[in-house]
Amino acid sequence: MTTDVTGSLAGKVALVAGGTRGASRAIAVELGRRGAFVYVTGRTSGQRRSEVDRPETIEGTVARITAAGGRGEAVRVDHLDPEQVRGLAERIDAEQGRLDILVDGVWGGDMHLEWGKPVWEHSLEASLRIIRLGIDAHIVTSHHLLPLVIRQPGGLVVDMTDGTAEYNAEFRKGTSLAFYVAKAAAHHLALAQAYELGPHGCTAVAMTPGWLRSEAMLDIFGVTEENWRDAIKEEPYFAISESPVYVGRAVAALAADPDHKRFSGQTLNSGQLAQIYGFTDVDGSRPDGWRYVVEVQDRGGPPDTSGYR
């Protein structure tokens, strides 16, 4: 059974932290498309790049929101700096008086990941940076922004991660200790936030896309969103991949659901919510990425996506 939630978010105030690129950028655009006013924060602006050193900017995300018929504001913020995050909260409070939707997509740790190295061989500096970006920045953001979310019932907090709670219940072979801990932490952040937000009538969840065709991933394979299927020749399991718009639609549908509190404390994924809310990816399909990873990819099965998208 699906529930087609196409409700407007007009009048809602949203913050997408780390909204420069990837899933978070698409979420910001889809929230704006539905009518929410969206603050987009990140470390890469037109004047200065972050350590990720990619061309996408927070202003570029706001331009996409505007093109989709929405409204937003780009604010350069390092979410590891408590004073910058405090200033962001004070600005939103002064301009809006509340925050209805907080999407915490702060990351930027992939460049520090030394794939498959045990902790004693992995750069200690890089490991600690991954933890800081994946955990500390989210706690700093929660500390300063959640007081705005609890101003009125119905608020929604979304912690972005990589992997379902079930998948991350075991170590992610081929990654690293720090990456695994940082991504698995999102499940527990959502649980804790759900408990603390509950008395205020607010909801917290963790959210993961499937195999995401982010800007960086497309560059790795040397393809674009238009010809992404050419990458299947190099990596057959890439056939299950999904565009960032898919998880953007997932979060927007969740935010528009007046009963989203029923998911509080859970880790959700784009394929799961597509079945509930009835939306599709940009090509009209509904990739069920994590089920495919478990049932096909990790078992080394034929890369046929029949029944999975």
Side-chain angles (χ1 to χ4, degrees):
M1 177 179 179
T2 62
T3 304
D4 184 13
V5 177
T6 57
S8 171
L9 294 174
K12 299 292 185 181
V13 180
L15 164 63
V16 179
T20 315
R21 61 186 65 85
S24 298
R25 165 177 272 191
I27 291 168
V29 172
E30 294 307 312
L31 291 175
R33 191 189 308 278
R34 292 251 188 152
F37 183 91
V38 186
Y39 289 92
V40 179
T41 63
R43 295 175 294 161
T44 297
S45 68
Q47 291 71 44
R48 184 177 175 186
R49 287 192 181 189
S50 74
E51 66 200 81
V52 179
D53 197 27
R54 285 195 55 84
E56 300 85 17
T57 66
I58 52 177
E59 293 89 354
T61 300
V62 172
R64 293 190 178 199
I65 293 171
T66 302
R71 297 182 303 131
E73 186 74 28
V75 186
R76 190 180 187 279
V77 175
D78 181 346
H79 283 260
L80 276 171
D81 185 330
E83 289 308 307
Q84 289 188 37
V85 181
R86 184 197 305 276
L88 171 66
E90 291 174 350
R91 174 174 174 171
I92 295 175
D93 189 13
E95 294 179 355
Q96 308 289 347
R98 72 186 197 283
L99 183 62
D100 303 298
I101 304 162
L102 169 61
V103 179
D104 195 338
V106 174
W107 177 230
D110 286 347
M111 63 176 293
H112 300 293
L113 173 57
E114 298 174 26
W115 295 92
K117 284 191 176 182
V119 65
W120 58 88
E121 294 180 5
H122 198 287
S123 162
L124 179 58
E125 180 182 8
S127 290
L128 295 177
R129 184 64 175 171
I130 287 171
I131 294 297
R132 289 273 286 153
L133 291 165
I135 300 178
D136 293 14
H138 288 243
I139 294 175
V140 171
T141 302
S142 295
H143 176 80
H144 288 294
L145 274 302
L146 291 189
L148 296 181
V149 175
I150 63 173
R151 288 276 174 87
Q152 57 188 26
L156 173 65
V157 176
V158 179
D159 278 296
M160 298 302 296
T161 190
D162 182 344
T164 65
E166 295 78 13
Y167 197 78
N168 286 338
E170 296 183 4
F171 180 67
R172 297 277 293 275
K173 297 176 183 178
T175 59
S176 74
L177 182 152
F179 175 89
Y180 173 71
V181 170
K183 293 304 181 182
H187 312 310
H188 302 287
L189 284 169
L191 283 170
Q193 291 170 339
Y195 178 84
E196 294 178 349
L197 293 171
H200 302 277
C202 298
T203 297
V205 301
M207 173 70 69
T208 178
W211 193 337
L212 189 71
R213 295 196 300 272
S214 65
E215 298 90 346
M217 183 60 67
L218 292 173
D219 285 350
I220 287 171
F221 284 118
V223 295
T224 66
E225 180 58 30
E226 288 67 36
N227 70 343
W228 69 268
R229 291 184 180 277
D230 290 349
I232 297 174
K233 300 172 186 176
E234 178 180 347
E235 173 47 77
Y237 293 122
F238 196 58
I240 197 60
S241 67
E242 61 196 55
S243 79
V245 173
Y246 196 46
V247 72
R249 289 173 175 174
V251 174
L254 180 68
D257 184 349
D259 192 30
H260 55 57
K261 64 183 179 181
R262 71 189 189 275
F263 297 113
S264 200
Q266 298 181 34
T267 298
L268 308 172
N269 67 82
S270 47
Q272 170 191 11
L273 292 189
Q275 296 301 319
I276 294 171
Y277 292 125
F279 62 86
T280 66
D281 202 348
V282 292
D283 63 359
S285 69
R286 292 195 178 106
D288 193 353
W290 286 103
R291 187 167 66 91
Y292 179 88
V293 167
V294 171
E295 297 178 2
V296 179
Q297 183 175 329
D298 284 357
R299 295 179 181 179
D304 183 8
T305 61
S306 299
Y308 295 94
R309 62 176 314 140

